[in-house]
Amino acid sequence: MKGENNIPVDDIKNAAMKTIKEKFPNNLFILAIHNDTDNPHCHLDLKTVDCNGNRIKIAPVDLDDLRNEFATNLTELGYKATNFSRKQKEFARDKYPDPWDGHKPHHYKITGYGKAKYNFSLEEHVEESYYVKFETRKGKETILWGKHLEKLMEQYNITNGDWARFTVTDQEAVVKKIYDKKTKQWYEKTVYKNVWDCSVEGKREVELKPLSESEKKKSEYKILGEEKSQASNITLQSQTINKRQNKNGVSKARALQNTQKTDKIQSSDSKETAVKKHDFQR
């Protein structure tokens, strides 16, 4: 049913079974629920040969009757169901008046807003957040939570009774430092918080582009101290290299000193020997 996306699968199954049994009481059928899409529905295979061996022929009129009967059965279960086929469109609106007609799609009536601890928790460690209450098509209450909602409510002067649509259009990165007692390590946690935007009837009517689940980023963790440890390793390596270079430099200097000493000794020895030869010749 168009516009009804929260009907329990059991009610869909019961309404469909009642519809097909009343229309074709002598025919066997198989019914399967399909609830992995945005619009839960059922698939139904009907055997065209009935229990008496007679073959039925389903015409477009029969399909319209099935749609009408299915909508009626769902309405009796408490859901707003309408046959939106072209032939029955005007008739269906008159038969099942839609109190939501005249409002933009996905816009709901605001019934409350304000500051409170998340999920109205009574625990002290829970942070304060902001909430907005909506009335759904079935008269049930839905609550949205987010600190960005307060800014939107004030900026566009939104109040109770307004028809608005709120959706997540972006994300904001928030960085926190966490200490793990087990590993005795500091972590840098990046949390991506939802950024909301809104469309309000008569005040700010805009086309919103919701952020899909695939586009939403998940929390990230980074170990703190890795860069420091790498830097310390680099400094240690540089220190060892410098030590080696210093040792090499000292050893080279000592070698030069030794060579100079030996040269001096050799030169002095040569002078002495020269003097001795001279004296000997004299």
Side-chain angles (χ1 to χ4, degrees):
M1 284 295 119
K2 185 177 180 181
E4 285 289 343
N5 298 327
N6 297 318
I7 302 177
V9 292
D10 289 337
D11 291 342
I12 295 175
K13 181 178 69 174
N14 293 332
M17 291 177 65
K18 183 180 178 182
T19 301
I20 203 71
K21 284 181 179 180
E22 290 176 351
K23 184 68 176 176
F24 304 105
N26 297 323
N27 293 74
L28 299 176
F29 63 90
I30 296 175
L31 186 142
I33 294 294
H34 194 183
N35 62 347
D36 59 349
T37 62
D38 293 336
N39 186 22
H41 55 279
C42 66
H43 296 264
L44 191 144
D45 288 342
L46 180 71
K47 189 175 182 180
T48 55
V49 179
D50 62 13
C51 299
N52 300 321
N54 298 322
R55 185 180 294 274
I56 61 171
K57 184 178 180 180
I58 300 178
V61 178
D62 297 320
L63 295 177
D64 246 349
D65 291 341
L66 287 172
R67 291 190 182 97
N68 286 332
E69 206 56 42
F70 182 58
T72 303
N73 292 331
L74 282 177
T75 304
E76 290 177 356
L77 292 174
Y79 304 101
K80 190 191 72 64
T82 306
N83 178 8
F84 281 95
S85 64
R86 292 182 181 179
K87 291 182 179 180
Q88 299 291 334
K89 194 171 184 181
E90 296 179 0
F91 169 75
R93 283 184 176 176
D94 295 336
K95 189 175 180 181
Y96 306 103
D98 188 359
W100 298 80
D101 282 345
H103 296 288
K104 294 176 69 67
H106 307 292
H107 286 61
Y108 302 100
K109 186 178 179 180
I110 296 177
T111 58
Y113 56 90
K115 290 183 179 180
K117 290 187 176 182
Y118 180 71
N119 233 359
F120 301 106
S121 176
L122 300 176
E123 298 181 5
E124 295 182 357
H125 68 276
V126 179
E127 295 183 0
E128 192 177 56
S129 185
Y130 197 88
Y131 69 91
V132 178
K133 292 182 181 181
F134 294 92
E135 182 183 344
T136 64
R137 291 178 180 268
K138 297 179 184 178
K140 295 182 180 179
E141 190 179 72
T142 299
I143 302 177
L144 296 180
W145 290 90
K147 292 183 179 179
H148 289 91
L149 297 176
E150 181 180 8
K151 182 180 178 181
L152 294 174
M153 294 290 288
E154 294 178 355
Q155 185 176 358
Y156 301 110
N157 193 23
I158 307 172
T159 184
N160 290 336
D162 287 341
W163 293 73
R165 180 192 181 188
F166 287 83
T167 186
V168 178
T169 57
D170 199 0
Q171 286 183 310
E172 180 184 30
V174 179
V175 181
K176 298 180 180 179
K177 289 184 179 180
I178 300 173
Y179 182 74
D180 190 357
K181 294 182 180 180
K182 292 183 179 180
T183 59
K184 295 182 180 180
Q185 184 71 31
W186 281 94
Y187 292 88
E188 186 180 83
K189 181 181 179 181
T190 305
V191 181
Y192 294 93
K193 292 191 175 182
N194 293 332
V195 177
W196 295 82
D197 199 358
C198 69
S199 172
V200 190
E201 289 185 2
K203 295 182 178 180
R204 185 181 185 253
E205 297 183 4
V206 295
E207 292 293 332
L208 301 176
K209 294 182 179 180
L211 201 66
S212 63
E213 292 297 328
S214 60
E215 293 174 338
K216 290 182 180 180
K217 297 179 180 179
K218 297 182 180 179
S219 301
E220 299 175 355
Y221 293 87
K222 180 182 177 182
I223 300 175
L224 294 177
E226 286 186 346
E227 296 179 356
K228 292 182 179 179
S229 61
Q230 290 178 0
S232 61
N233 290 333
I234 293 170
T235 53
L236 287 172
Q237 290 177 359
S238 61
Q239 287 176 1
T240 53
I241 291 169
N242 291 332
K243 285 181 180 179
R244 291 174 184 173
Q245 290 177 352
N246 292 333
K247 287 181 179 179
N248 293 331
V250 171
S251 60
K252 286 181 180 179
R254 287 178 180 175
L256 287 172
Q257 290 177 359
N258 292 331
T259 51
Q260 288 176 359
K261 286 181 180 180
T262 52
D263 290 339
K264 286 180 180 179
I265 293 169
Q266 287 177 359
S267 61
S268 60
D269 291 341
S270 61
K271 285 181 180 179
E272 288 178 0
T273 53
V275 170
K276 287 181 180 179
K277 287 182 179 179
H278 180 71
D279 293 337
F280 178 77
Q281 289 177 356
R282 287 178 62 188

